[in-house]
Amino acid sequence: MAPAADREGYWGPTTSTLDWCEENYAVTWYIAEFWNTVSNLIMIIPPIFGAIQSIRDGLEKRYIASYLALTVVGMGSWCFHMTLKYEMQLLDELPMIYSCCIFVYCMFECFKVYLKVKEPIFHQVMYGMLVFTLVLRSIYIVTWVYPWLRGLGYTSLGIFLLGFLLWNIDNIFCDSLRNFRKKVPPIIGVTTQFHAWWHILTGLGSYLHILFSLYTRTLYLRYRPKVKFLFGIWPVILFEPLRKH
């Protein structure tokens, strides 16, 4: 966590119960944690396109909701890190739990036909429990149901866990990271903004998890899903016509 001596900026004193390792208002007077803010773009823009594509493909509404929920998480996190206000912290933390509930619901429906607690540990424990449920369900699917989806499933999980590792490094070694950033050029220092990397990696991991869940569901419905890469980089799912019985 950040030391208490950070400067104030446009949004005034910090009222959130958490203040991350990035130096406050170091880049611009209008954004408290610049890199932790802009790194949320990966959780905002790609899921919007995913939701639009899901609507075009006529997919079940819960997958549209998954994409939009991830977008809401990104927008809430943007507002939180931009302002470091408690109200915006709730806008970040509560959608994380709600979106995970949607993800869990999607995973368990794949094979069916048809706060006032100002304590961060509460949010972290609840979020951790939901993510753990997703991990167990995903491992079950790639182990016993669709083993050929291990690549997508484990890539999603690995990216998410890497983000979680960097999140912990940012929390535990904050003082050392700040001292390091004072000694090196800004272009190098910005690469040590590990909470921003947490946003990028968990955003990508969550996006890939939605693809994994969607792939599992559409296989069961006898679609022919295929993972394609836009511009050779960004993964999306495209579908062939339904198989005839």
Side-chain angles (χ1 to χ4, degrees):
M1 301 300 175
D6 270 324
R7 71 187 76 173
E8 287 187 14
Y10 178 79
W11 300 100
T14 297
T15 60
S16 61
T17 61
L18 296 171
D19 187 356
W20 304 101
C21 190
E22 182 179 350
E23 296 82 354
N24 295 349
Y25 298 102
V27 176
T28 170
W29 189 63
Y30 295 99
I31 300 178
E33 296 176 342
F34 181 83
W35 298 109
N36 287 350
T37 298
V38 299
S39 59
N40 286 292
L41 287 173
I42 197 170
M43 285 189 278
I44 297 174
I45 298 176
I48 291 176
F49 287 100
I52 293 172
Q53 188 62 47
S54 296
I55 293 172
R56 289 175 177 172
D57 291 332
L59 301 177
E60 292 163 309
K61 290 183 175 60
R62 59 177 173 269
Y63 292 101
I64 301 170
S66 293
Y67 282 120
L68 295 180
L70 184 56
T71 296
V72 171
V73 170
M75 294 172 65
S77 183
W78 177 293
C79 293
F80 170 37
H81 290 286
M82 182 175 67
T83 65
L84 291 180
K85 293 296 185 181
Y86 179 67
E87 295 80 4
M88 299 300 106
Q89 180 181 349
L90 295 180
L91 192 62
D92 173 29
E93 293 179 345
L94 294 178
M96 289 175 68
I97 294 177
Y98 300 153
S99 63
C100 256
C101 289
I102 297 174
F103 298 163
V104 170
Y105 173 71
C106 287
M107 290 303 297
F108 279 91
E109 287 292 307
C110 280
F111 305 108
K112 291 187 177 181
V113 181
Y114 265 65
L115 253 162
K116 286 192 175 183
V117 182
K118 281 198 173 185
E119 178 51 61
I121 193 66
F122 173 79
H123 157 73
Q124 293 165 3
V125 169
M126 292 299 298
Y127 184 66
M129 290 173 61
L130 288 167
V131 170
F132 184 66
T133 302
L134 284 175
V135 169
L136 291 182
R137 181 64 172 175
S138 299
I139 291 175
Y140 166 78
I141 289 173
V142 301
T143 303
W144 286 287
V145 185
Y146 296 137
W148 59 89
L149 289 182
R150 286 176 183 169
L152 182 57
Y154 287 148
T155 299
S156 168
L157 175 60
I159 290 174
F160 196 97
L161 290 178
L162 177 59
F164 181 66
L165 172 64
L166 295 181
W167 181 82
N168 279 283
I169 292 175
D170 188 75
N171 287 336
I172 296 170
F173 300 105
C174 179
D175 290 337
S176 298
L177 289 170
R178 285 192 160 204
N179 290 332
F180 176 78
R181 288 197 285 263
K182 292 176 182 177
K183 300 174 183 177
V184 299
I187 191 65
I188 297 177
V190 71
T191 63
T192 67
Q193 297 289 358
F194 291 141
H195 192 88
W197 282 111
W198 151 260
H199 289 162
I200 293 170
L201 293 172
T202 54
L204 178 57
S206 297
Y207 176 85
L208 292 177
H209 174 78
I210 296 173
L211 293 189
F212 171 74
S213 178
L214 188 55
Y215 201 115
T216 303
R217 176 59 175 170
T218 51
L219 273 178
Y220 180 76
L221 293 176
R222 296 183 176 273
Y223 283 81
R224 295 181 181 178
K226 291 184 180 296
V227 176
K228 301 291 184 179
F229 290 86
L230 293 180
F231 311 109
I233 298 175
W234 192 257
V236 296
I237 288 186
L238 301 178
F239 302 94
E240 295 181 10
L242 288 170
R243 296 172 182 169
K244 302 296 183 181
H245 292 283

